[in-house]
């Protein structure tokens, strides 16, 4: 079965016991941790910085951490998050004056680099930098808040990006962020995604093991559908 990665978004976790809640969701089958950084400038919300990421590493959270920078500017934060323990760092093309330079900065700091596309952001940025990307992220909601509804227009955008990736023969992951849940994850996977940021669609359940098991069944269905 092809690799599908679940990336629980800790924006929806219980912050009164964050480390323990993350350990529970990893034990249930979360592959990565998705770490949303919002600055109240690029998006209308304020979340968490590198000190929290470092505290999770110190708490023995060892899975890959995917840092999504919804900040403007971004460059000054990249070395801080890399030092704190990020594996992936992603940013929006609108948040930097020099996309290429920002991608190089991420790589120079030892992390994998990704570009994030808002629902209305055109894909033509990929024409110039796709060979430098380890990860492409499609926002399926407008960024800034959790617990939003998935935008169906994302599915056609996913299919376009999947074709672009396959045409390059590069090993690039395709991630979807926003409104992902048990009821739609199979269709999202079938449209080309292989990394799924999932927040309230996971953390709102009292038993993480049961919901992750159900999600994995949906992903298996999507995989079998794609090979037949």
């Amino acid at each position: 079965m092809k690799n599908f990665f679940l990336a629980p978004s800790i924006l929806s976790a219980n912050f009164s016991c964050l480390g323990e809640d993350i350990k529970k969701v990893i034990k249930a089958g979360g592959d990565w941790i998705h770490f949303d950084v919002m600055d109240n400038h690029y998006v209308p919300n304020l979340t968490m910085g590198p000190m929290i990421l470092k505290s999770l590493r110190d708490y023995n959270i060892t899975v890959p951490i995917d840092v999504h920078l919804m900040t403007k500017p971004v460059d000054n934060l990249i070395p801080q998050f890399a030092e704190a323990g990020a594996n992936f760092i992603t940013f929006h093309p609108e948040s930097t004056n020099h996309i290429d330079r920002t991608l190089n900065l991420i790589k120079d700091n030892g992390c994998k680099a990704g570009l994030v596309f808002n629902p209305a952001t055109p894909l033509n940025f990929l024409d110039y930098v796709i060979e430098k990307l380890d990860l492409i992220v499609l926002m399926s909601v407008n960024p800034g808040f959790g617990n939003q509804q998935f935008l169906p227009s994302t599915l056609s955008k996913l299919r376009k990006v999947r074709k672009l990736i396959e045409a390059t023969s590069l090993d690039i992951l395709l991630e979807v962020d926003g409104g992902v849940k048990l009821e739609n994850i199979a269709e999202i996977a079938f449209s080309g995604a292989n990394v799924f940021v999932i927040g309230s669609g996971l953390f709102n359940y009292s038993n993480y093991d049961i919901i992750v098991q159900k999600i994995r069944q949906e992903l298996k269905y999507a995989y079998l559908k794609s090979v037949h």
Side-chain angles (χ1 to χ4, degrees), residues 82-116:
E83 186 178 356
N87 299 95
F88 293 85
I89 297 179
T90 66
F91 66 97
H92 295 252
E94 302 93 342
S95 67
T96 179
N97 292 326
H98 301 282
I99 295 171
D100 188 73
R101 186 170 66 192
T102 301
L103 290 170
N104 288 335
L105 181 61
I106 293 170
K107 302 244 182 189
D108 289 346
N109 278 272
C111 295
K112 294 185 176 182
L115 204 56
V116 188

Side-chain angles (χ1 to χ4, degrees), residues 9-212:
S9 171
I10 61 172
L11 193 63
S12 298
N14 184 347
F15 272 73
S16 66
C17 52
L18 184 59
E20 203 54 39
D21 207 20
I22 291 172
K23 283 191 173 180
K24 286 178 184 176
V25 86
I26 292 167
K27 186 178 179 183
D31 301 299
W32 301 2
I33 291 300
H34 187 78
F35 196 98
D36 285 308
V37 182
M38 306 182 190
D39 66 353
N40 198 35
H41 294 283
Y42 181 70
V43 291
N45 200 354
L46 186 65
T47 57
M48 48 202 163
M51 287 186 296
I52 293 179
L53 195 155
K54 184 179 184 304
S55 73
L56 295 177
R57 289 304 194 199
D58 292 343
Y59 196 66
N60 202 31
I61 303 298
T62 59
V63 299
I65 294 181
D66 168 27
V67 174
H68 176 193
L69 295 178
M70 287 168 274
T71 67
K72 188 174 184 178
V74 295
D75 287 4
N76 61 322
L77 290 172
I78 287 166
Q80 297 178 55
F81 276 101
E83 186 178 356
N87 299 95
F88 293 85
I89 297 179
T90 66
F91 66 97
H92 295 252
E94 302 93 342
S95 67
T96 179
N97 292 326
H98 301 282
I99 295 171
D100 188 73
R101 186 170 66 192
T102 301
L103 290 170
N104 288 335
L105 181 61
I106 293 170
K107 302 244 182 189
D108 289 346
N109 278 272
C111 295
K112 294 185 176 182
L115 204 56
V116 188
F117 292 84
N118 287 333
T121 302
L123 296 172
N124 57 1
F125 293 103
L126 293 174
D127 295 343
Y128 307 98
V129 297
I130 193 167
E131 72 282 352
K132 293 195 171 186
L133 299 177
D134 301 291
L135 180 65
I136 297 169
V137 185
L138 297 189
M139 295 300 299
S140 39
V141 299
N142 286 300
F145 297 93
N147 204 25
Q148 297 187 64
Q149 293 298 309
F150 180 87
L151 294 172
S153 58
T154 310
L155 296 174
S156 61
K157 205 171 184 181
L158 264 175
R159 291 189 286 269
K160 288 177 185 175
V161 177
R162 174 51 61 195
K163 286 181 180 178
L164 283 172
I165 293 171
E166 289 176 354
T168 66
S169 300
L170 296 170
D171 186 18
I172 302 172
L173 294 164
L174 180 51
E175 178 179 298
V176 170
D177 183 358
V180 179
K181 54 188 178 180
L182 177 66
E183 292 79 9
N184 62 17
I185 198 166
E187 189 175 16
I188 295 167
F190 188 66
S191 296
N194 52 8
V195 182
F196 309 89
V197 176
I198 184 161
S200 56
L202 176 52
F203 283 102
N204 281 5
Y205 290 84
S206 57
N207 190 316
Y208 298 154
D209 295 279
I210 290 174
I211 187 62
V212 169

